[in-house]
Amino acid sequence: MNDTTDPSSHDRRIGRRTVLTGLSGTLVALAGCTDNSETGDTPTNSTDTTTEPPAAQSDAFAGVSVDAGQLVVTLARDTSAGWVHRFGPDGDLAEKAKVAPDGREAQFDLVGQSVDGYTPGEHRLAAVKNDKSVGEVTLTLEPEVTLTNFRWAENYPDMEWDKSANNWETHAAFRLENTGSGPAMLTRTRWRNAPFVLRTDEDEQTFDHPKVLPPSETTTIYAIPPVYETSGGLVGASSVECGKIDTKTLHLEAIVEPGADSSFSQMIEYGGEEGACELTIVDSETTGSPQTASNGSGS
């Protein structure tokens, strides 16, 4: 079996909380007064690491960061405000967040299972006291998600598969890297011509698969169906007649909101016979990223 997958050490993992750097005049004070003094990296807690903080900070705000699917706004110690308002790229008020009792933090849920999401682009935050703005910042929230590799359990037995299942070797996982400045959400996966789909009368199968994709992180997604299963297991499914198939191209579409979807295709050569299939991966391709999928064969 050949392996063309990038080592896991290449994954960019920058911690749960990522400080947003200036992309659109970030942290510009309403009155035009800014503090240009340099500040060092200050982790939120012992497990957090951050990127460099914004170069220019307003008097009202101490920092803006993303923690998983949340936007976390920290006010300066001498700022007195009861609310933070978020205005979307269209300039309209999108959401209000109450400042915590300690008077320092406000949080916005940008993505999640019970959240409508947000519009990518430049957003404006205003610290508000008695219905008056005491300071503003602007920042860009723009997710950029790509599928970086695809792994077959048979070739990667040391990953966190559910080995209590007798078909665990037929499962697969893939990795989604968010190199943008805003979080995204994997909502569904759509499969066509995968071995498990060929066992049914359907052209494709879709699975709900909600998973937050924080910025500056690579997230491993374990596929729900047994992707490479050719016989047994699925209710109402038959075995794949491998002796009658030359090659088929598996297609995976990862539905992401907000932002562009990621796609993956893999040409599989079928051999053997029904009930004793032999699968060989001939070629793989991901949309918008280099080919990094694993090659291998197995039944």
Side-chain angles (χ1 to χ4, degrees):
M1 288 180 278
N2 297 321
D3 179 7
T4 59
T5 305
D6 289 344
S8 59
S9 61
H10 287 184
D11 291 352
R12 297 178 56 208
R13 299 187 178 276
I14 309 183
R16 292 185 61 219
R17 178 168 291 193
T18 302
V19 172
L20 297 173
T21 56
L23 296 175
S24 300
T26 304
L27 299 177
V28 178
L30 178 64
C33 177
T34 60
D35 178 7
N36 293 319
S37 61
E38 295 182 357
T39 58
D41 293 345
T42 305
T44 305
N45 55 48
S46 61
T47 63
D48 288 339
T49 57
T50 65
T51 62
E52 292 183 0
Q57 297 190 1
S58 77
D59 290 335
F61 292 84
V64 182
S65 62
V66 172
D67 186 354
Q70 284 189 328
L71 180 68
V72 182
V73 181
T74 305
L75 300 178
R77 292 187 181 278
D78 59 353
T79 297
S80 177
W83 294 84
V84 176
H85 292 182
R86 178 174 64 86
F87 297 85
D90 59 3
D92 293 338
L93 178 63
E95 190 178 3
K96 299 178 182 180
K98 190 173 181 60
V99 177
D102 63 6
R104 295 295 310 282
E105 272 194 2
Q107 299 177 347
F108 296 92
D109 292 324
L110 296 179
V111 296
Q113 289 185 257
S114 59
V115 178
D116 291 336
Y118 67 98
T119 302
E122 185 175 279
H123 293 245
R124 177 167 57 92
L125 303 176
V128 177
K129 179 181 181 181
N130 298 328
D131 295 328
K132 294 184 179 180
S133 175
V134 297
E136 294 190 3
V137 298
T138 59
L139 68 154
T140 296
L141 295 172
E142 195 81 50
E144 186 174 343
V145 178
T146 54
L147 195 154
T148 59
N149 59 44
F150 191 93
R151 293 183 170 182
W152 183 355
E154 180 176 282
N155 300 333
Y156 292 89
D158 293 335
M159 292 179 64
E160 296 179 3
W161 312 104
D162 179 9
K163 293 185 179 180
S164 64
N166 58 13
N167 65 344
W168 71 267
E169 292 180 332
T170 68
H171 282 258
F174 55 96
R175 289 179 174 175
L176 293 174
E177 182 180 19
N178 184 357
T179 57
S181 57
M185 183 91 174
L186 172 67
T187 60
R188 297 182 302 282
T189 57
R190 181 178 293 121
W191 304 83
R192 289 188 291 114
N193 281 338
F196 82 95
V197 177
L198 297 181
R199 298 181 56 210
T200 71
D201 294 329
E202 302 176 23
D203 294 329
E204 65 179 38
Q205 288 199 16
T206 302
F207 298 84
D208 291 333
H209 207 148
K211 183 71 173 180
V212 174
L213 307 172
S216 301
E217 289 192 24
T218 297
T219 305
T220 298
I221 307 295
Y222 287 85
I224 294 173
V227 175
Y228 295 98
E229 188 169 78
T230 58
S231 63
L234 292 176
V235 176
S238 58
S239 297
V240 178
E241 297 183 19
C242 294
K244 298 181 180 181
I245 302 175
D246 183 13
T247 61
K248 287 282 187 179
T249 300
L250 172 157
H251 292 280
L252 163 64
E253 187 176 8
I255 313 299
V256 175
E257 295 179 2
D261 300 336
S262 291
S263 298
F264 170 80
S265 61
Q266 184 178 77
M267 182 180 292
I268 302 174
E269 182 178 82
Y270 288 74
E273 56 187 23
E274 184 176 350
C277 290
E278 296 178 0
L279 306 183
T280 301
I281 297 173
V282 178
D283 193 18
S284 301
E285 182 180 359
T286 56
T287 299
S289 60
Q291 177 183 328
T292 55
S294 64
N295 290 334
S297 61
S299 55

